[in-house]
Amino acid sequence: MSKRVLLIIGGGIAAYKSLELIRRLRERDVAVRVVMTDAAQRFITPLAAGAIAGERVFTDLFDQTQEFDVGHIRLARECDLIIVAPATADFMAKAANGLANDLASAVLLATNKPVLMAPAMNPHMWANPATQRNLAALAADGLRFVGPNIGEMAESGERGLGRMAEPEEIRDAALTLLSDGPLKGKRALVTAGPTIEAIDPVRFLSNRSSGKQGYAIAAALAELGAEVTLVSGPTNLPAPAGVKRVDIESAREMMDASEAALPLDIAVMVAAVADWRPSKEARRKIKKDAVGVPAIALQENPDILATLSKPGKKRPRLVIGFAAETDNVEENARAKIAKKGCDWIVANDVSGDVMGGAENTVMLITKDKSEAWPRMAKQAVARRLAAEIASALAAKAPRK
Ligand code: C5P
């Protein structure tokens, strides 16, 4: 059966490109139903959009005939994906705040379908902290974005970030979201970031993990259709679209949140879990003058990777650990597979600036192979790992 898109056209000069988008989607056998805002109708007419879509266009929240015929709830539900193109600064602000005072915003508030926004606005409007706040809020709500791109603005001739993505780009992003994905129906856990271990209410032990690699892996698994829980220590990163993030601080909280995510098909433990925690957490701030230099006794933290790898009914089908190595990478990684009981190890070469950096050099070590991957962006490592995971699960017999 062909897929169905509801296209919300917002009011901007880029609206003319949405006519092209309708054509590009229909070429790929995607049915397009169109909603236009009042402002959009200043730029293009419902007649033009309707002619290309091959369906009448919806414009009015309070139109008796339209509402009786196909109300905004039905519009919101009778599709596989909603695209907003162009998504203006105003429309993003309304959506971020849950306003519903016209048909387009009411549809967006009522939907339970994935939403893809293609923002288009003046570069100053895009860069404005208010727009960036709204973008972060919408992304945290699970909305997806394509663009904006850098380019010349139609109205002012200014160059900058704010030009709507091209119709082909929007179509491709939509087709990815419409495709079921090889990990559809699979449950995945990713741990990421550092843990922090309290000494007293204000002081803690921690490490320099940025969480970038783990967040990228969570995003890549979600892109392939997995239902992803990201258990994260404190980072500065926004939750990837479509991923459920659970915030924790200590290793013990990470363990509890990870076990709460069971049953799982996939577990990827990327977090830099603190090896030790202070044996005693002081309930009150330790006074500098009272104790002199305190001796802080440490004890070992639970090993989340080893715990999840234990054989048993609840064991995820594929458990993957990370290992920070500087030498004898393969040998050490194989020893770690044996020690932890996991299936694969991704060994990072941490001799450079991997911690906090944008790139990573890794080696994938499984029972059957060792592959040294070239240095690449953490997102690229994530996508390649997600693809390996998808093919491994496809090859394995389904669990009885
Ligand atoms: O033993 P080591 O810290 O080198 O192991 C690293 C791997 O084990 C990583 O995948 C890390 O997320 C995981 N780990 C864990 N719980 C710990 C320590 C490490 O899940 N307490």
Side-chain angles (χ1 to χ4, degrees):
M1 213 177 66
S2 72
K3 300 277 185 181
R4 210 168 226 297
V5 157
L6 182 86
L7 172 64
I8 295 177
I9 305 182
I13 189 72
Y16 77 91
K17 285 203 229 169
S18 301
L19 299 177
E20 176 80 11
L21 173 62
I22 300 171
R23 208 190 301 274
R24 296 278 94 92
L25 285 165
R26 293 198 66 196
E27 275 169 10
R28 297 297 182 91
D29 198 26
V30 177
V32 185
R33 182 177 257 180
V34 178
V35 166
M36 288 172 69
T37 65
D38 287 348
Q41 295 169 60
R42 308 269 185 127
F43 292 92
I44 55 171
T45 65
L47 201 62
I52 299 172
E55 274 196 43
R56 61 180 261 238
V57 169
F58 296 80
T59 53
D60 193 348
L61 182 57
F62 300 110
D63 182 314
Q64 282 288 332
T65 52
Q66 282 193 5
E67 271 292 299
F68 185 70
D69 188 6
V70 187
H72 66 281
I73 302 291
R74 268 183 64 190
L75 284 174
R77 303 290 169 88
E78 282 178 0
C79 59
D80 303 294
L81 171 72
I82 294 186
I83 303 177
V84 187
T88 61
D90 179 67
F91 195 79
M92 285 175 63
K94 285 172 73 173
N97 288 288
L99 298 189
N101 61 353
D102 64 3
L103 181 62
S105 53
V107 163
L108 209 61
L109 198 63
T111 195
N112 57 357
K113 305 296 179 195
V115 178
L116 174 68
M117 282 194 169
M121 65 196 75
N122 174 279
H124 294 291
M125 292 170 82
W126 176 252
N128 189 292
T131 304
Q132 291 300 309
R133 263 199 313 278
N134 294 331
L135 171 68
L138 291 167
D141 289 344
L143 278 75
R144 318 286 179 113
F145 288 85
V146 52
N149 296 343
I150 292 179
E152 204 138 293
M153 296 295 112
E155 315 93 318
S156 57
E158 273 175 279
R159 234 185 114 69
L161 198 57
R163 186 184 160 93
M164 188 167 89
E166 293 306 315
E168 288 81 5
E169 273 177 85
I170 303 173
R171 174 202 61 199
D172 290 347
L175 291 177
T176 305
L177 290 173
L178 286 169
S179 76
D180 288 340
L183 292 177
K184 186 161 175 100
K186 301 282 187 288
R187 289 168 59 90
L189 165 73
V190 179
T191 66
T195 66
I196 65 175
E197 311 293 336
I199 296 170
D200 69 14
V202 294
R203 305 180 177 99
F204 59 77
L205 295 178
S206 190
N207 60 64
R208 293 188 191 279
S209 167
S210 66
K212 282 181 192 158
Q213 185 64 78
Y215 276 57
I217 290 169
L221 291 171
E223 270 168 27
L224 297 189
E227 194 185 313
V228 183
T229 303
L230 171 64
V231 177
S232 173
T235 68
N236 291 321
L237 304 171
V243 164
K244 178 182 166 201
R245 185 170 83 184
V246 181
D247 292 317
I248 54 84
E249 292 195 338
S250 69
R252 284 172 298 170
E253 288 169 2
M254 184 171 270
M255 174 73 100
D256 291 346
S258 299
E259 290 190 314
L262 290 166
L264 295 163
D265 299 282
I266 306 151
V268 192
M269 318 309 263
V270 199
V273 182
D275 292 311
W276 312 284
R277 67 173 182 275
S279 304
K280 271 202 281 253
E281 177 185 343
R283 285 232 297 270
R284 309 185 141 263
K285 185 181 172 196
I286 301 169
K287 282 283 189 203
K288 202 156 56 174
D289 307 332
V291 291
V293 180
I296 298 171
L298 299 177
Q299 73 183 76
E300 215 168 308
N301 262 329
D303 192 314
I304 305 160
L305 175 60
T307 306
L308 260 69
S309 297
K310 283 208 186 98
K313 272 214 308 272
K314 285 190 162 177
R315 188 190 191 279
R317 286 162 65 189
L318 190 58
V319 185
I320 304 172
F322 267 66
E325 304 285 352
T326 46
D327 12 50
N328 293 338
V329 177
E330 185 173 353
E331 200 182 313
N332 290 340
R334 293 218 173 269
K336 193 156 290 188
I337 290 184
K339 182 166 155 235
K340 305 257 187 182
C342 60
D343 301 301
W344 299 356
I345 283 280
V346 180
N348 308 42
D349 182 348
V350 288
S351 37
D353 56 353
V354 165
M355 280 284 202
E359 296 188 328
N360 211 348
T361 313
V362 308
M363 194 165 183
L364 174 65
I365 290 146
T366 73
K367 290 189 177 111
D368 327 308
K369 66 176 180 187
S370 313
E371 268 179 16
W373 294 357
R375 184 176 173 84
M376 50 185 150
K378 287 182 175 172
Q379 278 81 2
V381 170
R383 282 195 210 104
R384 188 155 165 190
L385 183 65
E388 292 276 353
I389 290 170
S391 55
L393 287 191
K396 273 192 180 189
R399 191 157 48 181
K400 299 259 155 55

